[in-house]
Every structure is written in structure tokens, then in C-alpha cells.
Amino acid sequence: MSKITLSEPKVNAFGEQFFTEINHHAFLNQSSETVFKNYFANLLNETEQLFIIVGTDSGLLYQFVKNQPLKPHIKFVFIELSDVIQKLKLSVVDDVKGVQVVAEEFDFLTLHEQYETFVYRKKYKLIKSLAVMDAEPSSAYEKLWQNVEARFSAFNREVLVSQRSSQFEDARLYNAADNIFPVNSIKNHLKGATAIVLGGGPTLDDAINWVKNNQQDLVIFAAARVARRLVTEGIVPDFFVSVDPHDVSFDNSKGIFAFEKTAVLINGYHVNPKLLSQWAGLSCYMGLKYGWKNTRYQENIEPVGPTVINTAVHVATYLGCSNIILSGVDFCFAKGRSHESSSDEAKTASHISRKTHIKVVTNAGHFESTGPTLANARVALERQAKFYQKENSNTKLYSSGLDSAKVEGVEYLDTSAIDFLNPVTKHRLADLKQVLTISSQQRLDYARLTLDELQQQSKAFKVITRVADEGLDWVPKLYKQKGAEPKFKVMNKVQKLRKKVNRLVGEDGDLLLSYQGENFADTYTPVEQDLPLDSDVVTTQLNGFFQGVKQSTQQFEALILKAIERVQLRIDELEGKVALSELFKAWQTWDEFGRVKLWLNWHSGKSLTQDEQALLRQAQQAFQQEIEKTDTKQFQNLKRSAQNLETLVRKATDGFNQADSSQLDALLQHAAQLEAADQKRDLGYLIQGMQAELQQNEQQAIEFFKQIEQPDLKLLALKRILNFAMQAQRYEEALATLENLCLFSLDYMVIYSDLLALLGNESMAIEVLKMYLSKNPDNISAYIKLAQRQINVSANQEAQASLQKVLAVDPDNQTALHLLKSL
């Protein structure tokens, strides 16, 4: 919780109170209304939006919004420091106008409950108040923003996943013929075993030799992404765990194919299809085979998020393991790094570009940075540990990483102190593998069953589509004219069709709703409370319902056709009746040449022509090239991210604002490795200038900043130099710096004018403002400043003309009316 100490408030000429610790002198010469209209007027022009504003600007922004004639579907949530809420006596009770204040601990998940239509239609934004815009490094409002922004980003990701399940459902159906054994078929098969879960965090480097030396006494569950490291180290895992549907997961996990004869792949139903389809070893899946209801597949362990490690730990306990050691499971950037040393992330130093605003305590008692996903994974593991202890007090979780994040319910234990390994802990693995072994005929029968199931569901979706189409035909006939009462018979027909759709959809409603959430966006069109429904709203919502159902079912139909194509390929491979040349084309189309391994397993004794043998060799070579390829799309993306100047500058600014010298040190080392010489030079100067500034070495900082030539970096440097000059009251230097800043943005002319006025040169200040307004005639705040300066030099007629221009646009502008009255 961020703390702030407030002195007595200042009162401006308009009777408004504000705190200089929050807003400095932003409201000293102008009413808050004038200031806010300059910065936030565009918010009031929106027709449908939820604005989440960090800070209330001494309560003035909150009052300003409350006093505006807000449109019906505009809502505001202000997140404020608890100290400020208490000082201002702000109410945290919902406001009837849809404007409310909440404390900094505000849980974004409540947005789903309170503002469902805005969240579902993605009509919400996070906004900075003036206090946050002007916040100093490491100040209460800077920390508040960093904390809220991190939690808001995590919330956004959760919303995206919940409203767009297509990536998971696509993978689920592509995997339909390959997801054969559910994990619940091997429940408790490793009862009492000692397991180790290997993640890809930096502390894996510390424990890797111990794992290698003790692997015979451990059941090893490894995240698929560490497979390449295990090959190098000579460690043979018992299980790989993989859940990610994205293609990047395949690139990360290619190393698992070296262990097909020894390891079991435990995958989420939505694992990347290329990974599962080319796996020739034993496997079992988590979750349900289909997203729609199917009585044949009703029970199975679900993947537990948000990371594969949470799932791996859950699987280990489900199989009955009692002592579970975590290695490379850090949930933070241990020692400033994000991944173990052999990973692509470590090779490209991609962690440099990650947002690390959240801090956690490590097992060593130090504070370390982490990202939103890792932070959520740590909290999730705490809940898991609590659940496991409640279910079975013999289940113990241990962390072997001194620099890993501390997790309640997970005891830190150095590997040298582990004395409970059992040399016979793996003896049940053979039985487990026997359960997962299947003959080619059984596999063929399963593929045929899957084909029948998919065809039946395709027919069901076609029926729903036809009913939805009928509904879309009737909705336009509902009203004779806009504003009229709906036709009773038509409304009755539409309602019957809607009920029929709901009946046909049955328990699959959530599946259709979340597959592509935007399909149903119009269904959630917000309505006025306590007012009769407008005809446009009714037709929009009904059209949204039928159109959403139609689009989702049609998308599923198309997806099922692709899934059927894959299942038919499995049948063709197993039956051996289709020419190998046709199978080769199919493997090529799906980019899954690894299927050749499975085909050879099923048809090892089959007589082949020379052409067929050549095709098999070609497929094997293509797959091997894919596996050995290191310059992957992911590697290139990581490299670009780590070389992106905008990202690195943002990271440096974050480090400076948080006064995080270690982050700046790491960035400086990284900057020296940039490929572009000018970026390497200027980013280095910028970071060194920031470091010198944090060390309060002003002259050295200025020297570094002055050497910068890159335009974007030069702008930042000039702003820092201006800040030094203003704080030290070196006004001539400040004017020269502002002249350079005006080359980047004419808005700096306003500050230039302010400084001239401060120095007593009112006439020049007036001329500068006139030049600025000739290019920016809509800036009301600048016209008010011009009028104030014209009054200062007794140019009352000119001041009156300037104020009339303000009132022509904003007749109720309090500052302009006050000044006009004083003339």
C-alpha cells in the first residue's frame, strides 16, 4: 500500500482546495474545470465507455466528473490512495450517476460483476489523472500507477481468454483423434512417490547437477520447454507436461522428441496440435475431449493455470506423489533473469523488455521483480498448496531455489538437505505405462468413433444455424416503424425461436458464447435502467443473439470439418489402404512430417517400393530439419524485442521512475550489445544520465544527456535537462532548452511563454502565446493564459477578446467568467 503525507490544502481564487503534494500548482491560476477540460474533455464525448482513472487530483477531478451531464452509458471508477480517501472523506459507495471512488486494493474482477456490458464489449480504459502524469520517480502516485497498471494488464489477459476460447477449442478439435487416454485413467498410480517438477526458471541452473545425480530416485515431471536442456545434461525425465496451444510452444518444446521411448507426454486437451500429432510416445490428456456436452467423456482432471508449472504440480499430486520438489520454479526474475541459461530467452536477453513492476519476496528474504503472469502463478500455487494439505496432510511441497519467490505452503529446502529420496520410487512407472499402451487396431477403432462423434455434432450445429437464420428473418418485421409497439404475433414468433435456439444449444451455451466473444457483442448493448426498451435496442439485441449463435455455430462447423479431415488422415494411416504418396501430401499440408514415425511403427513389416522408401526418407529428413532448427520464429521475435529501442527506453524510464539502479545497470550492459551503433551509443548515454541523476550528480547527468543525437532519446534528454534548469532556477538555460524542445512539439511554446512571464517579460510571453494559438486555435487553456497576461500589461480590450473566444466555445468556463468580471 502506497503512503503519502499531506499538509494543509491550498485554496485558489475559485475557492477550490488542492494539495501541492498531489498536484503541485496545477490549479493555482486556473479553475480545475478549465484545467480538466483541457486534458479530459474528450472523455465526456464518448457514447459508451467505462473509464478507470488512477487518482482523483485532490478530489477535484472526481467532483468535476460528477458535475458533468454524463451520457447514459459513460461510467467512471476512480482508484485513489487510501490516505487521500480518508483525508478528503471521499465516499467509496456507488454513486447514482455511475461515478465511484475505490481504494487502491480494488479488485479488477469486480468489473465483471458490476460493469459486465462494458467488459464484455471491451469498452473500458485505464487513464492517468494529472497527479499520476506529474508524479515524481518513486512517489506514491508513481507506485500506485505501476501497481494498478500491472493488475489491469493481468485482468485484460483474463478477459481475452474468457471471451475468446477459439484458440483452445481449435486445438481441442484438431487433437480429437490423438487425445485417447484421459489422465484420470492413471490416477494414484504413483502413490507415495517422490517427484521433482522442473521449470525453466534461472534457479534450474543451480540444481541441475543434483537432479542429474539423483534422477534414479526421483519421478521427474518436466515442463516441455526444458527438454533441450535435459538432453544436454543427460537427464531422462519420466513425464513432460505441455498445455499451450500456440505455435511458439512447439518451438519451445521440440526437445521432447528425443525422449519418445522413455517419457510420457501429459498434455492439456488444447496442447499445440503439431506437438501432440508428431509425438510417437505414450500420452494422456487433461480436460474433456470436447467442449460440447458428450456423455462418453464426463470426468477428467483439468489443467490448472496460469502456467504449465501449476498444471505439472497438480498432475503430480493427482498421480499420488507425496513429496514434490520444485526446481527452476521461480515465479520471479531470479538474479535478474527470466529463464535458465540454455533457453532462447536467456540467449537473447529478452527479459530486458519485460514489464517488472511487481515485487515479491524470495526464499532468501530479498525483494525481486516479477511479471503479472508469474505473480498470478505464485498466488495460484499458494492456493493449490493449501488445497493439497487439506486433502492429504502427507502431501509436501518443497522449493529448491534460494532465489525463487517465497510461496506459502511450499517449504524452502536446499538440495543438500533433501534426505527423503527412495531408490524404489519409480517402481510403479511400468504399470502406469502399460495402462497407456494401445494397439494399432484399438487406435483405429478410437479414430472411427471420433469421426462418428464429430459428424453427429456437425449435424447438431447445422440445425441450430437454420433456426438462428429463421430468427434473423423475423426480427426486422418486429416493428412497423421506429418507436412503435412491437407486433405481438411477430414478437411471439421471435421469442419461440429464441427459446428453441436455447433448447437446442442446451448446456453448450457457454461454449458458443466464449468461442468468439465479439460475435455476441450486440447482445450486451447497454440499456437505460427503468426506461422502456427502445425499438432500436430491442432489434439490435435480438439480432445480436441470433447472429452470434449463427456465426459461432458456423465457425464450429468449419472447424469440425478440419477436425474430420485430421481424423480421416489417422484412419487412412492406420488402415494402410491409402497410397503413401497421398499421406505424404497430407503431412506436408499440415506441416507434420513427424507422422512418418507413427506410420512406420504401425507398418514396420510392410513391403515398400523404392519410391515409397524415398518418400519416407524425405519425410524423416524434413522432420529432423524442423527439430534441429534453432533460428525459429520465436527466437527472431525474442531477439527483435530485446533490440527494440522504444521498448528499452520505456524500460529505462520505468527503472528511473522506480529508482531501480540494478535495473538500469542491467539495461546499460544490454545497451552495449545492441546491433545499431547509434542506438547503442545514445541509449547508453541516456541510461548513464539517469544513473547520474539518481546519484544526484547533476552535472554528470547533463553531460551524458547533451551527447544524445537520436531524436526520440534527445527529446527525453532535453526534458531531463529542463527539469534540472528549472529546479536550480537557471532560467536562461531553461529557455534555451525549451527552444530546442519546441522543435519536437509546439506545446512547449506554452511552457516557454510561462517562463518568460516568470522572468517579467510579459510582452514576449504574450507574443509567444499568440504564435502558438495561431497554430492551435482550439486550446482554451492557452487563450486563458493569454488573457491573464494581457490583463497583467493592462491590455484589457485584447484580454476581453481572448476571453470571449473561450466563452464562445465554453460559455460556463469559470476561469474565463472570473477574469471577465475582474476587468
Side-chain angles (χ1 to χ4, degrees):
M1 183 184 296
S2 300
K3 291 285 185 180
I4 187 169
T5 302
L6 301 176
S7 59
E8 288 302 306
K10 299 282 186 183
V11 182
N12 63 14
F14 310 95
E16 298 173 325
Q17 293 187 347
F18 63 94
F19 295 94
T20 55
E21 294 88 353
I22 297 175
N23 291 111
H24 307 294
H25 295 98
F27 309 117
L28 192 61
N29 298 315
Q30 297 188 36
S31 71
S32 62
E33 180 184 49
T34 300
V35 175
F36 292 143
K37 283 184 176 179
N38 187 44
Y39 283 95
F40 302 111
N42 62 314
L43 305 188
L44 306 174
N45 296 327
E46 297 278 358
T47 56
E48 179 191 350
Q49 196 72 244
L50 167 64
F51 293 106
I52 305 160
I53 302 182
V54 182
T56 62
D57 285 327
S58 302
L60 294 175
L61 182 55
Y62 169 62
Q63 292 298 333
F64 168 75
V65 170
K66 283 183 66 176
N67 292 336
Q68 300 306 306
L70 299 181
K71 295 173 184 176
H73 307 308
I74 297 293
K75 308 292 180 186
F76 288 84
V77 173
F78 288 89
I79 302 179
E80 184 56 278
L81 296 170
S82 299
D83 292 341
V84 177
I85 290 176
Q86 186 176 357
K87 184 80 172 180
L88 295 174
K89 296 182 173 60
L90 295 174
S91 171
V92 292
V93 178
D94 293 356
D95 192 286
V96 292
K97 288 190 64 178
V99 183
Q100 69 173 124
V101 178
V102 298
E104 55 199 289
E105 301 88 358
F106 172 72
D107 186 353
F108 280 101
L109 292 179
T110 60
L111 289 178
H112 263 307
E113 303 166 10
Q114 203 169 344
Y115 301 100
E116 181 185 33
T117 59
F118 295 94
V119 174
Y120 204 88
R121 290 164 64 83
K122 297 182 179 65
K123 296 288 187 178
Y124 59 93
K125 294 179 182 176
L126 188 67
I127 305 288
K128 291 181 177 181
S129 64
L130 293 182
V132 174
M133 292 182 199
D134 298 334
E136 295 294 326
S138 298
S139 67
Y141 278 97
E142 174 64 26
K143 291 177 180 177
L144 176 64
W145 171 258
Q146 300 287 4
N147 179 273
V148 171
E149 186 188 30
R151 291 190 287 120
F152 181 75
S153 297
F155 170 73
N156 266 336
R157 280 192 292 274
E158 290 176 14
V159 169
L160 183 63
V161 170
S162 66
Q163 295 182 7
R164 186 175 294 176
S165 66
S166 56
Q167 56 192 334
F168 301 103
E169 294 303 329
D170 291 357
R172 189 199 309 253
L173 289 185
Y174 280 6
N175 292 333
D178 300 319
N179 279 334
I180 299 175
F181 289 103
V183 174
N184 71 340
S185 61
I186 54 172
K187 182 178 181 179
N188 283 330
H189 268 61
L190 299 178
K191 197 166 185 178
T194 296
I196 187 165
V197 174
L198 303 181
T203 64
L204 181 64
D205 295 334
D206 303 328
I208 199 72
N209 286 331
W210 181 87
V211 176
K212 182 177 180 178
N213 294 333
N214 292 277
Q215 60 182 306
Q216 295 304 318
D217 299 336
L218 294 162
V219 176
I220 301 176
F221 293 82
R225 67 164 10 260
V226 302
R228 287 185 303 182
R229 178 68 181 274
L230 302 185
V231 172
T232 303
E233 300 290 347
I235 295 173
V236 181
D238 301 296
F239 299 94
F240 283 112
V241 184
S242 186
V243 295
D244 195 338
H246 303 103
D247 286 340
V248 67
S249 177
F250 179 78
D251 285 337
N252 275 337
S253 308
K254 290 188 294 189
I256 70 172
F257 293 109
F259 299 99
E260 285 177 319
K261 293 182 180 179
T262 55
V264 176
L265 174 61
I266 299 181
N267 59 272
Y269 65 82
H270 46 57
V271 72
N272 179 262
K274 280 184 65 175
L275 195 68
L276 179 61
S277 70
Q278 298 179 99
W279 175 255
L282 302 176
S283 67
C284 53
Y285 69 96
M286 295 169 282
L288 297 180
K289 182 177 179 179
Y290 299 118
W292 55 78
K293 184 178 181 180
N294 186 304
T295 55
R296 189 177 285 111
Y297 314 98
Q298 296 188 77
E299 185 181 342
N300 194 21
I301 179 178
E302 290 286 340
V304 174
T307 68
V308 68
I309 292 302
N310 298 95
T311 296
V313 171
H314 196 52
V315 168
T317 60
Y318 188 78
L319 296 189
C321 299
S322 53
N323 291 313
I324 302 171
I325 305 163
L326 309 180
S327 179
V329 178
D330 299 326
F331 301 129
C332 68
F333 292 171
K335 302 177 183 177
R337 295 180 288 122
S338 62
H339 291 79
E340 51 89 16
S341 57
S342 73
S343 65
D344 288 344
E345 289 85 354
K347 291 174 182 175
T348 58
S350 67
H351 64 279
I352 287 292
S353 62
R354 293 171 180 256
K355 285 190 175 183
T356 56
H357 297 157
I358 306 170
K359 298 285 186 179
V360 292
V361 178
T362 67
N363 288 322
H366 304 141
F367 281 97
E368 190 58 86
S369 298
T370 190
T373 301
L374 293 177
N376 288 344
R378 187 194 69 81
V379 173
L381 186 60
E382 285 187 342
R383 290 197 295 265
Q384 288 176 247
K386 187 176 182 179
F387 172 78
Y388 303 144
Q389 270 291 298
K390 184 178 179 181
E391 291 292 303
N392 184 354
S393 60
N394 292 323
T395 303
K396 305 291 184 183
L397 301 183
Y398 302 94
S399 171
S400 66
L402 184 62
D403 297 301
S404 302
K406 185 178 180 63
V407 180
E408 187 177 343
V410 179
E411 179 185 345
Y412 167 67
L413 199 60
D414 187 270
T415 52
S416 63
I418 296 175
D419 59 2
F420 46 77
L421 300 188
N422 189 331
V424 296
T425 195
K426 289 189 177 184
H427 75 280
R428 293 193 179 93
L429 279 171
D431 293 339
L432 180 148
K433 291 180 178 180
Q434 188 59 44
V435 172
L436 302 178
T437 301
I438 186 172
S439 69
S440 57
Q441 182 58 50
Q442 289 172 315
R443 190 181 289 267
L444 177 58
D445 293 341
Y446 187 78
R448 288 170 176 162
L449 173 63
T450 300
L451 180 63
D452 181 64
E453 291 167 342
L454 291 173
Q455 289 171 338
Q456 289 299 317
Q457 188 62 35
S458 180
K459 291 176 184 177
F461 279 145
K462 279 183 169 65
V463 173
I464 297 172
T465 302
R466 284 198 297 270
V467 178
D469 257 333
E470 191 177 353
L472 287 169
D473 289 339
W474 279 100
V475 170
K477 304 169 186 176
L478 194 55
Y479 293 93
K480 186 173 183 180
Q481 61 187 28
K482 185 176 180 180
E485 288 294 315
K487 298 176 184 177
F488 176 77
K489 288 185 178 179
V490 178
M491 177 60 82
N492 190 43
K493 179 67 174 177
V494 170
Q495 293 295 7
K496 284 183 178 179
L497 289 169
R498 180 164 187 161
K499 288 179 182 177
K500 188 174 182 179
V501 167
N502 286 330
R503 179 173 54 79
L504 290 169
V505 169
E507 295 180 34
D508 300 330
D510 287 343
L511 174 68
L512 294 178
L513 185 65
S514 65
Y515 182 71
Q516 289 285 1
E518 53 263 36
N519 290 347
F520 292 89
D522 286 344
T523 309
Y524 287 84
T525 301
V527 297
E528 280 271 22
Q529 297 273 342
D530 304 323
L531 289 178
L533 287 179
D534 181 81
S535 57
D536 286 343
V537 173
V538 172
T539 54
T540 296
Q541 290 192 341
L542 287 171
N543 267 318
F545 171 75
F546 288 118
Q547 190 65 40
V549 170
K550 177 182 176 180
Q551 288 178 328
S552 287
T553 50
Q554 285 182 330
Q555 288 165 346
F556 263 111
E557 286 178 56
L559 175 58
I560 288 173
L561 288 177
K562 297 295 287 183
I564 287 173
E565 182 183 331
R566 287 174 72 83
V567 175
Q568 187 59 57
L569 176 58
R570 303 295 181 266
I571 294 172
D572 292 342
E573 291 168 338
L574 285 157
E575 287 182 335
K577 297 176 182 178
V578 175
L580 194 55
S581 58
E582 292 303 310
L583 297 179
F584 184 91
K585 289 177 184 177
W587 298 338
Q588 188 172 41
T589 298
W590 289 102
D591 191 21
E592 295 177 354
F593 279 115
R595 296 294 306 169
V596 68
K597 299 174 297 175
L598 290 95
W599 189 91
L600 285 169
N601 289 343
W602 300 330
H603 305 287
S604 57
K606 188 172 183 177
S607 178
L608 301 171
T609 67
Q610 287 188 343
D611 288 344
E612 288 174 330
Q613 291 177 27
L615 278 176
L616 291 176
R617 285 194 297 271
Q618 187 177 343
Q620 289 172 311
Q621 289 169 1
F623 178 68
Q624 193 60 35
Q625 287 174 358
E626 175 76 14
I627 295 306
E628 293 174 355
K629 184 179 179 182
T630 56
D631 191 19
T632 62
K633 184 183 294 185
Q634 184 217 12
F635 185 83
Q636 289 300 321
N637 288 339
L638 290 171
K639 188 176 179 181
R640 276 194 295 272
S641 176
Q643 295 275 327
N644 183 277
L645 185 62
E646 181 181 351
T647 300
L648 296 174
V649 170
R650 185 178 65 245
K651 187 77 172 180
T653 304
D654 286 346
F656 174 75
N657 288 338
Q658 297 176 61
D660 190 337
S661 57
S662 62
Q663 181 169 306
L664 291 176
D665 288 340
L667 277 165
L668 185 60
Q669 292 179 27
H670 183 73
Q673 301 169 25
L674 294 182
E675 294 175 353
D678 53 347
Q679 293 183 0
K680 178 193 298 187
R681 178 197 64 226
D682 286 354
L683 182 59
Y685 286 148
L686 179 69
I687 295 170
Q688 290 177 88
M690 289 176 170
Q691 288 176 319
E693 189 169 350
L694 288 178
Q695 295 164 5
Q696 299 184 334
N697 191 333
E698 176 188 332
Q699 194 53 47
Q700 188 180 52
I702 290 174
E703 289 303 314
F704 280 125
F705 291 146
K706 283 183 175 179
Q707 297 180 71
I708 295 173
E709 298 176 9
Q710 281 266 313
D712 290 343
L713 302 191
K714 190 174 183 68
L715 173 60
L716 288 174
L718 287 170
K719 288 165 72 174
R720 300 313 309 160
I721 292 172
L722 175 63
N723 187 57
F724 280 128
M726 291 299 294
Q727 285 184 345
Q729 299 184 2
R730 299 194 300 268
Y731 296 128
E732 292 302 322
E733 181 184 337
L735 285 171
T737 305
L738 280 166
E739 287 179 12
N740 284 323
L741 283 167
C742 288
L743 299 175
F744 290 90
S745 171
L746 291 179
D747 288 340
Y748 286 102
M749 292 180 71
V750 177
I751 304 174
Y752 191 88
S753 172
D754 290 343
L755 186 52
L756 287 171
L758 179 68
L759 297 174
N761 196 341
E762 290 279 11
S763 58
M764 182 60 73
I766 290 171
E767 292 306 312
V768 170
L769 272 181
K770 285 181 178 179
M771 285 189 286
Y772 171 77
L773 285 165
S774 68
K775 300 291 185 182
N776 298 275
D778 297 328
N779 192 320
I780 290 177
S781 181
Y783 266 115
I784 288 175
K785 282 194 175 189
L786 177 61
Q788 288 173 323
R789 281 166 196 159
Q790 288 166 334
I791 292 171
N792 290 341
V793 296
S794 300
N796 289 356
Q797 280 190 321
E798 291 183 27
Q800 190 173 32
S802 297
L803 292 170
Q804 290 299 340
K805 288 181 180 179
V806 173
L807 294 172
V809 178
D810 183 10
D812 298 321
N813 188 285
Q814 294 302 306
T815 306
L817 291 171
H818 174 80
L819 291 173
L820 199 59
K821 187 177 180 180
S822 70
L823 290 175

